[in-house]
Amino acid sequence: MTITDDAVVYYDPYDLDIAADPWPTFARLREEAPLYHNERYRFWAISRHTDVEKAIANWQTFSNSRSDILELVNSDFDMPKGVMMFEDPPVHTMLRGLMSRVFTPRRMAEIEDQIRRFCVNCLDPHVGSDGFDIVAELASMMPMRVIGMLLGIPESDQIAVRDANDANLRTKPGAPMKVAKADRIADGSIYADYVEWRSRNPSDDLMTALLTMEFDDENGVTRKLDRKEILHYTQVVAGAGNETTGRLIGWLAKVLAEHPDQRRQVYQDRSLLTRTVDETLRFEPTGPHLARYAVKDFQMYGTTVPAGSAILLLVGAANRDPRRYTDPELFDIHRDSISHLAFGKGVHYCLGANLARLEGRVALDELLNRWPEWGIDYDSAVPAPTSTVRGWERLRIVLP
Ligand code: HEM
């Protein structure tokens, strides 16, 4: 329930009314409370583009050491060690360097044909129908399949793995995520059988690269990753790239249905596809905020925020800041520079950004190949129940 006192702006990431349409609240936060404090859920929020951008880059103050999820930052647990997203430099630099060695642009580009084939198989059965749920039929499956393709996970295991992952992020509508045990956050145990199998059946995939690569660890010892570390890396990639990308595909369908002129332009000129994906991420970022832990006091707008505080960086608010963008409330694929903070920035900048763009581009391309036009069945649309990712759980597109 929203606590309303119209004289004072209120925000929390669990409020379903705000989540349904956060833009007026984000606008008020930027104007009236650019440094906002929520006592009930114990966080501070930063909303102006320039402030969010600076804070993301300043890991010396705004640390990832208690994760980037508010519930975890505020939990009583110590975070597990060695989780890339939960570390600051220098440990983060070493972990990310390792990941970048196997997560190469070449590997990602190589699977484009497979991604397209998967899309075609999902969409072709609906040709001639009067509509379908794009989340169930494409968006909720494609990212996991893509990660499965990269990792070499057999198709038969992929859906079970996705469901286990998504269950980790699920929240009861209107409530914070429950954190049960810190060491289960990224233990990757659901991949254990697969990793064993792959170690006996090496192939040309990312998992085999993880199993065989050698590196110098923090003690100067040259070694391979152990099983526990491999499971963890797998979990991080799968967790980070699954729901975020799935929600992007839902937003692409919805936003373009609501902007038919621009959809027509993309239909006619497919070189606009990547711009369209990025403008959609600016306009409807699938992760509307990132949490940080203040490791030292900082000053902002005349207030000193004490070390130990949880900070929410409101990427969604920043992406529509009129100080940064002309007509930010307009969806415009022809903007001069389509840059946004939906993939973060600085040392933790999304490692899968180009893969997510590729998936969005291929999904939209294949939709347009079959249907130049579609509408949305708003009556049956259901928002997704997570506090960290914003998007659609069910979104039926209506075909002419
Ligand atoms: C639309 C889709 C996506 C969005 C909006 C997104 C967003 C983000 C953001 C905001 C961060 C930074 C987190 C922080 O600063 O704390 C991040 C990090 C990361 N993302 Fe993505 N992501 C997407 C897709 C993917 C995909 C497809 C993958 C891989 C398969 C992926 C893998 C990662 C990894 C490994 C990190 C951690 C990087 C680090 O800590 O250095 N993401 N992502």
Side-chain angles (χ1 to χ4, degrees), residues 102-120:
V102 292
F103 215 75
T104 58
R106 182 185 60 84
R107 245 199 192 96
M108 288 184 237
E110 273 170 6
I111 59 171
E112 175 164 351
D113 288 348
Q114 271 175 281
I115 298 177
R116 197 171 287 278
R117 225 172 303 130
F118 178 74
C119 251
V120 167

Side-chain angles (χ1 to χ4, degrees), residues 41 50 57 100 123 133 135 158 173 185 193 199 230 244 341 370:
Y41 291 113
T50 178
S100 310
L123 296 178
D133 177 359
V135 177
Q158 287 177 9
I185 293 163
D193 290 348
S199 70
I230 287 183
T244 43
L341 297 175
R370 285 158 189 75

